[in-house]
Amino acid sequence: AQSVTQLDSQVPVFEEAPVELRCNYSSSVSVYLFWYVQYPNQGLQLLLKYLSGSTLVESINGFEAEFNKSQTSFHLRKPSVHISDTAEYFCAVSRTSGTYKYIFGTGTRLKVLA
Amino acid sequence: EPEVTQTPSHQVTQMGQEVILRCVPISNHLYFYWYRQILGQKVEFLVSFYNNEISEKSEIFDDQFSVERPDGSNFTLKIRSTKLEDSAMYFCASSVPPDGYTFGSGTRLTVV
């Protein structure tokens, strides 16, 4: 079975400061890794994904995440946040075969302060 | 960009009543899912559907729940006799693995 841990339930950060949202996972088999963002009263939107290949993946809006197999981590980073990045961020894993169901972390609420 | 459409956006129902939550997945997607998110809690897997049958279901998905893909486009979640604890946001998703899911915007179910 897989599990995902997001240790930080809330992360306040000032605008234009860097941020890191932590995600650790546990699995005995290979996994795919995902970050989703949920803005207030909206659904979950795919931010970025790691399937294979380069361990550093980037999104179009400046976020990046690095897959670290030895540390079983997939931390999300952004060098300079904007007010509009205020949202809940969910890390998820799925197996690389079968039903591809997601196991989600508990989420991290990023609050960007002016 | 293709979307997953869910209706209604908000449903209020009396305890014991049946509800049907509707979803229109992306047309060329093969895998379909329902997840739920109780207020303030994590997003939980309910069921996956592939090749016109349930491929996996969670412990939450008991006999009160059922899913159907009646006409090749709609994908429905039925709760036969709602309980107060069924109050949650229900998300439908579809995918072509290994790409990530596309989620709908959700149905907020309130059981009173």
Side-chain angles (χ1 to χ4, degrees), chain B residues 81-101:
Chain B
S81 179
T82 49
K83 308 181 187 73
L84 293 175
E85 54 265 35
D86 293 327
S87 295
M89 185 74 105
Y90 288 80
F91 292 106
C92 173
S94 67
S95 75
V96 180
D99 283 346
Y101 298 176

Side-chain angles (χ1 to χ4, degrees), chain A residues 3-8 20-26 31-36 48 65-69 71-77 89-93 103-108:
Chain A
S3 66
V4 177
T5 302
Q6 291 181 251
L7 285 173
D8 305 305
E20 177 180 84
L21 306 183
R22 296 180 293 169
C23 172
N24 288 88
Y25 71 93
S26 172
V31 293
Y32 297 134
L33 293 149
F34 306 88
W35 276 100
Y36 279 81
L48 42 74
E66 185 158 21
F67 170 56
N68 187 319
K69 189 173 182 179
Q71 297 188 3
T72 60
S73 67
F74 190 54
H75 301 332
L76 181 69
R77 301 183 183 95
Y89 292 79
F90 291 93
C91 182
V93 301
I103 302 298
F104 281 93
T106 49
T108 297

Side-chain angles (χ1 to χ4, degrees), chain A residues 1-106:
Chain A
Q2 292 77 48
S3 66
V4 177
T5 302
Q6 291 181 251
L7 285 173
D8 305 305
S9 59
Q10 290 190 67
V11 173
V13 62
F14 285 104
E15 195 172 19
E16 297 183 9
V19 70
E20 177 180 84
L21 306 183
R22 296 180 293 169
C23 172
N24 288 88
Y25 71 93
S26 172
S27 178
S28 58
V29 297
S30 297
V31 293
Y32 297 134
L33 293 149
F34 306 88
W35 276 100
Y36 279 81
V37 58
Q38 185 180 34
Y39 298 103
N41 300 313
Q42 293 188 28
L44 297 109
Q45 300 173 32
L46 180 64
L47 192 57
L48 42 74
K49 61 189 176 190
Y50 172 77
L51 304 179
S52 65
S54 172
T55 57
L56 183 66
V57 291
E58 298 176 351
S59 73
I60 58 172
N61 57 355
F63 282 95
E64 64 179 32
E66 185 158 21
F67 170 56
N68 187 319
K69 189 173 182 179
S70 62
Q71 297 188 3
T72 60
S73 67
F74 190 54
H75 301 332
L76 181 69
R77 301 183 183 95
K78 190 170 186 181
S80 175
V81 294
H82 303 287
I83 295 286
S84 58
D85 293 324
T86 295
E88 185 116 24
Y89 292 79
F90 291 93
C91 182
V93 301
S94 79
R95 294 180 63 166
T96 59
S97 63
T99 64
Y100 304 96
K101 78 172 185 189
Y102 282 179
I103 302 298
F104 281 93
T106 49

